[in-house]
Every structure is written in structure tokens, then in C-alpha cells.
Amino acid sequence: MKRLLTGLSVLILLALAGCAATPTAEQSGAAVEDRAAPVGPPAAAPKPAPKPDTGAKPLVEKPLGAAALKDPGNILSRRSVYFDFDSNLVKDEYRPLVTAHARYLQQNPGAKMRIEGNADERGSREYNIALGQRRSEAVKQMMQLLGARPDQIESVSFGEEKPKATGHDEASWAENRRADIVYQGE
């Protein structure tokens, strides 16, 4: 046992000695910054470089009033989230829209909205009411996760009762699978 401990001690000492070796050629060329205080008057601080303009505008810049909700150039004027057939999953393409409305609610604590879930005509009336409710709840839950208060959002379902398109084809059904955002007073 004593021999094992002695052997381990020797290995540890050799490993530590290897760590203290002289630096390699790659390590010896590292520059060291001199942080000594400069002698003489302080130099003017360099101006920060201007940030490049990416052309991207924030979803919601400053707290916005009700006028932003009607401005066609603002994402807040878009009010419908569309869903795939028999789904209540909010698609990635509608996340910026939901995020913008959630931020608007967060920045305007007095604002309230109703999310109206809808379905196409396929399926029973009861099924479509339930599907519309799941769609409105999905949008509401996402907004709450993004900072909107629960008391600012009401979710309802109209099922197939408020179609946006009256045709009986895939294009019309796609228009009717949605959740609409309606602000109080509109």
C-alpha cells in the first residue's frame, strides 16, 4: 500500500512539473496589455462607431397609441392568425404578429382585446366550436407568455358561424381557419 501511495505521489509531482514548463512558441508570442496610467492629459474618448442600418424596424418601437392599430404600415393592423386543417398550433410565420400585439398590450395596460376563434365548415358544429376555442386559447396563451396580462384578453369561439370566405373549396376553408384579434371599442 505504501508503495502505491509513493508511486501516485511521484506521478502527481511529475504532472505538476509538466504544467510549470516553459511556454511553447505558440504561447510565448501572446501580447500583454499595459494598464499603467498614462502620463499627461487624458486623451479624448473615441466616439463609438455608428451602428450599421440593417433596415429592420422593431416590431413595436415606443409605446404606441390606438392610431398604430389602424396604420396599414404597422404590423398591429394585421389581425388574423391562420391555422392548418384540424390544428390549433400557431405557425412560426404568425409569431411576430402575436408578439407585436402582446407587446402592445404590455405597453398599454388599459387596452383589452377579444380573440375570436374560427373553423371551416367541415366537422360538426360542436367540434368546430371546440376547435375555434382551442385556436383562440392558443393565441391568448402565447400572448400571456410574452407579457400580456390575462385580464386584457378574452377568448371566444364562433366555430363555423362567422366565415370570412363563403366558398366550399380549400382556398375558402383556409381563410376560415383563423383566430381574429379585435380590440375593445372597435
Side-chain angles (χ1 to χ4, degrees):
M1 182 70 162
K2 199 173 195 179
R3 196 180 281 175
L4 180 63
L5 288 175
T6 305
L8 270 173
S9 299
V10 170
L11 285 174
I12 292 173
L13 287 175
L14 287 174
L16 290 174
C19 292
T22 57
T24 65
E26 295 168 344
Q27 295 170 330
S28 63
V32 176
E33 180 181 357
D34 182 13
R35 292 191 178 235
V39 179
K47 293 182 180 178
K51 294 182 180 176
D53 183 17
T54 61
K57 293 173 70 177
L59 294 175
V60 177
E61 295 165 350
K62 297 176 185 169
L64 299 169
L69 298 173
K70 297 187 185 317
D71 177 7
N74 193 309
I75 193 170
L76 293 171
S77 66
R78 294 179 33 214
R79 303 296 183 83
S80 294
V81 176
Y82 293 92
F83 295 86
D84 287 332
F85 174 73
D86 199 31
S87 173
N88 62 307
L89 178 68
V90 177
K91 297 187 223 177
D92 287 340
E93 66 189 271
Y94 294 104
R95 289 179 191 269
L97 172 72
V98 174
T99 300
H101 284 283
R103 287 185 183 158
Y104 179 83
L105 290 175
Q106 193 176 27
Q107 294 173 356
N108 296 278
K112 294 186 182 238
M113 71 166 55
R114 181 177 63 244
I115 302 173
E116 301 172 345
N118 297 277
D120 61 37
E121 64 187 18
R122 297 173 293 177
S124 69
R125 185 176 185 283
E126 294 80 16
Y127 181 82
N128 288 339
I129 290 286
L131 180 58
Q133 189 65 37
R134 288 194 308 272
R135 288 173 173 165
S136 65
E137 289 290 333
V139 175
K140 177 181 180 177
Q141 183 178 16
M142 182 180 274
M143 286 187 186
Q144 288 174 345
L145 290 171
L146 292 167
R149 292 188 335 265
D151 66 320
Q152 290 180 289
I153 308 169
E154 175 189 5
S155 59
V156 299
S157 175
F158 291 118
E160 62 191 75
E161 302 302 318
K162 283 183 76 173
K164 189 179 264 190
T166 56
H168 304 288
D169 57 2
E170 182 55 42
S172 298
W173 295 330
E175 285 285 312
N176 295 332
R177 296 189 302 257
R178 69 190 192 285
D180 294 323
I181 298 168
V182 180
Y183 282 87
Q184 189 175 45
E186 288 186 324

